[in-house]
Amino acid sequence: MALEPWLKVWTNLPSFLQGLSLNLALLGGLLALGLVLGILLAILEVYGSRPLRYAASAYVWLFRSIPEVLLLLLFWFGPARFGVRLSPFAAAVLALGLRSAAYQAQIFRGALRAVPAGQMLAARALGLSKFQAVRFVLLPQALRLSLAGWGNEFAVVLKDTTLAYAVGVAEVLQRARALSVVELPLTLPAYFTVALLFLGVTYGGLFALGALEKRLRIPGLEARR
Amino acid sequence: MLLRVEDLHKRYGREEVLRGISFSLEKGETKVIIGPSGTGKSTLLRCINRLTEPDRGRIFLEDVEITSPKADINKIRAQIGFVFQDFNLFTHLTALDNVRLGLMRVKGLPKKQATERALRELARVGLADKAKAYPAELSGGQQQRVSIARALAMDPKLILFDEPTSALDPELIGEVLSVMVDLAKSGMTMLVVTHEMGFARSVADEIIFMEKGVIVEQGPPEQLFKHPKHPRTAEFLRRITELYGGEG
């Protein structure tokens, strides 16, 4: 294989990295939104009153049922229809973040259920309210138990950020595509470079999560694998 | 009178677990509840701080009705210690934090005061040197002593013990019982469900024998052990002493 197309792609590396930084910003935004909302949904599903439980379950069902690209398009064109102009980036964070919340809720719900019932009993027996019991006893344990599953969600949604091209976010894959449209021989080197970048980011992210898991490890409180 | 239970009933599905339980506890008294498994002893304890909601009957802590719908149950629970059979220490917290949690979050003590108090209670159960240990790093007996310290730290008016030594290896039972004996001597009001007849005999002011959801007989240990009025009491005591040994 000729070296020239590769060199040409790599002169575009700064542009690729700029694109990648958008992917990472998108990832950060969607994970944060998904985390906060996901924890809330999980708490409602496990400890909420019946109507709240149903509402949370309905939310999860809804956002797990709609294809991602379709969600992106809905959040891009939907608000615009009502005169709300979202930037492509904001639309992507919302669509992917609300979706991730549904999946993250499943992780946290499972973890909350995995905490033995005696923990809640002991907390309530001390005089803690249900909310305090969840906040100080159940959640700290459940979040630790969630880390492995959460790493999986991280790896999935990281790659999902490339779908944001659908609403015109100039993310990294979009840039590779643009390059290959201009010069056909650059197609494979460009895509291959993007793949390498994702390999690196996934490795780094999972490494960091592994380190976090180790740091938060408490004897007797490990996810049973 | 510190605790008064009046005609308590509890049903799980078709089975009536408690069928009209009434008794009372004076301040500083230790009463021990004995009886065969599945006769509602644990349910009774859990009804007292409403971890389980009773179906019928009333419970008073001093002059406050625990069973009233208007009762501030969290405030009441903070005044009633509960020691579980399987300890239920908070897995993610050190011994110190286990004891400190209620002090800080329920009683609102500042961290420094809560720490001092928690360390004092850990010392009282002989575990000052284990403050930094997580539950999984402690033996069963040590875990149960931490859980007693956790209850004590709240300055409870009463402590409920639900078979506190039943989950322990035989060689670890003694250290927990000796903490409980000291507590009883120090004037703590205690209601204890246990199969440890030696403890019942030497520490209890009164023993309550329960079977099938009712109190069959109650009285001072000497009376119950030597001259039980009811044939069921005699039969149970004979079997349990065969099983666990007379002096326990």
Side-chain angles (χ1 to χ4, degrees):
Chain A
M1 209 190 288
L3 198 60
E4 201 191 331
W6 290 90
L7 292 176
K8 207 156 184 185
V9 165
W10 289 347
T11 54
N12 281 293
L13 208 54
S15 157
F16 275 40
L17 290 178
Q18 233 171 43
L20 188 64
S21 71
L22 270 178
N23 289 76
L24 293 181
L26 195 52
L27 176 74
L30 86 88
L31 277 179
L33 176 59
L35 180 70
V36 173
L37 193 57
I39 289 175
L40 188 70
L41 285 166
I43 291 175
L44 291 182
E45 278 199 278
V46 179
Y47 301 108
S49 62
R50 187 177 298 218
L52 288 174
R53 263 191 344 251
Y54 284 158
S57 300
Y59 176 97
V60 169
W61 169 75
L62 186 72
F63 277 90
R64 290 208 300 175
S65 305
I66 302 173
E68 292 182 81
V69 174
L70 183 53
L71 270 180
L72 281 160
L73 294 172
L74 287 172
F75 274 88
W76 173 236
F77 291 112
R81 172 74 181 73
F82 298 99
V84 181
R85 303 256 351 145
L86 292 178
S87 70
F89 183 83
V93 166
L94 266 181
L96 297 179
L98 294 177
R99 177 173 184 278
S100 179
Y103 285 93
Q104 292 191 41
Q106 299 305 291
I107 299 170
F108 299 132
R109 188 185 62 163
L112 280 171
R113 291 243 165 90
V115 177
Q119 297 287 305
M120 177 60 104
L121 274 182
R124 298 307 307 274
L126 264 184
L128 293 169
S129 68
K130 197 166 172 181
F131 176 80
Q132 285 179 312
V134 172
R135 160 99 168 69
F136 296 117
V137 177
L138 278 293
L139 211 48
Q141 297 187 37
L143 289 182
R144 283 183 174 85
L145 295 175
S146 303
L147 270 171
W150 203 81
N152 200 38
E153 173 70 5
F154 159 84
V156 170
V157 294
L158 166 62
K159 289 164 292 188
D160 288 350
T161 57
T162 55
L163 295 173
Y165 82 87
V167 293
V169 175
E171 48 78 43
V172 63
L173 185 55
Q174 172 68 16
R175 288 170 194 240
R177 196 178 288 112
L179 202 59
S180 68
V181 168
V182 181
E183 279 184 74
L184 206 55
L186 299 188
T187 307
L188 211 52
Y191 286 163
F192 199 81
T193 303
V194 173
L196 278 179
L197 289 174
F198 273 98
L199 273 173
V201 173
T202 305
Y203 179 82
L206 290 180
F207 181 82
L209 280 173
L212 182 70
E213 203 174 341
K214 210 170 276 172
R215 222 176 82 87
L216 294 178
R217 182 164 296 163
I218 284 171
L221 188 77
E222 285 103 17
R224 291 153 204 94
R225 291 171 207 197
Chain B
M1 204 171 298
L2 188 89
L3 180 77
R4 194 163 87 245
V5 175
E6 287 176 0
D7 194 32
L8 205 65
H9 288 258
K10 177 67 187 178
R11 176 186 288 280
Y12 286 119
R14 287 177 56 180
E15 195 190 353
E16 195 166 20
V17 188
L18 299 178
R19 302 187 292 153
I21 299 283
S22 302
F23 69 95
S24 63
L25 207 54
E26 298 290 341
K27 190 170 164 19
E29 230 179 2
T30 294
K31 284 197 181 178
V32 169
I33 304 175
I34 60 173
S37 307
T39 46
K41 305 185 300 287
S42 294
T43 304
L44 170 60
L45 286 198
R46 286 183 183 199
C47 280
I48 290 175
N49 70 355
R50 279 176 56 192
L51 285 179
T52 295
E53 287 293 339
D55 296 332
R56 196 143 61 81
R58 304 207 295 172
I59 305 169
F60 294 87
L61 182 67
E62 290 173 334
D63 46 3
V64 176
E65 189 189 342
I66 298 174
T67 39
S68 157
K70 280 178 281 177
D72 180 351
I73 192 62
N74 293 328
K75 201 173 152 200
I76 292 169
R77 284 184 183 140
Q79 302 171 47
I80 303 178
F82 200 108
V83 174
F84 295 87
Q85 178 176 343
D86 36 14
F87 334 131
N88 290 339
L89 288 183
F90 304 128
T91 320
H92 64 303
L93 298 179
T94 59
L96 175 62
D97 282 328
N98 262 279
V99 181
R100 212 159 47 171
L101 184 70
L103 291 172
M104 290 171 64
R105 301 300 173 185
V106 178
K107 295 205 146 184
L109 252 59
K111 189 166 183 174
K112 188 161 172 284
Q113 266 172 275
T115 307
E116 281 168 13
R117 178 68 201 261
L119 287 173
R120 209 157 64 232
E121 296 304 341
L122 282 174
R124 185 164 167 190
V125 298
L127 290 173
D129 57 331
K130 296 288 183 189
K132 291 263 157 55
Y134 286 99
E137 297 168 326
L138 299 171
S139 73
Q142 290 171 333
Q143 289 189 54
Q144 193 59 296
R145 280 146 69 198
V146 172
S147 99
I148 293 174
R150 177 172 70 178
L152 280 174
M154 299 296 285
D155 269 328
K157 291 179 173 158
L158 158 76
I159 302 184
L160 309 171
F161 293 83
D162 187 6
E163 300 203 30
T165 58
S166 295
L168 295 176
D169 291 334
E171 74 268 24
L172 301 177
I173 291 176
E175 61 187 78
V176 172
L177 287 181
S178 90
V179 166
M180 290 171 62
V181 170
D182 288 346
L183 264 186
K185 280 187 189 149
S186 76
M188 176 57 71
T189 315
M190 296 162 54
L191 185 60
V192 184
V193 171
T194 186
H195 294 299
E196 292 296 328
M197 291 303 136
F199 173 83
R201 209 164 174 163
S202 60
V203 178
D205 297 295
E206 198 166 81
I207 293 179
I208 296 174
F209 173 56
M210 249 179 94
E211 193 176 47
K212 294 186 180 135
V214 294
I215 293 178
V216 176
E217 181 172 353
Q218 56 181 318
E222 283 316 295
Q223 178 197 315
L224 238 83
F225 278 93
K226 296 230 170 85
H227 315 286
K229 287 187 197 127
H230 202 285
R232 287 297 307 146
T233 315
E235 165 72 12
F236 174 78
L237 286 172
R238 192 180 57 72
R239 275 191 295 120
I240 198 99
T241 39
E242 267 172 21
L243 202 60
Y244 287 83
E247 297 310 312

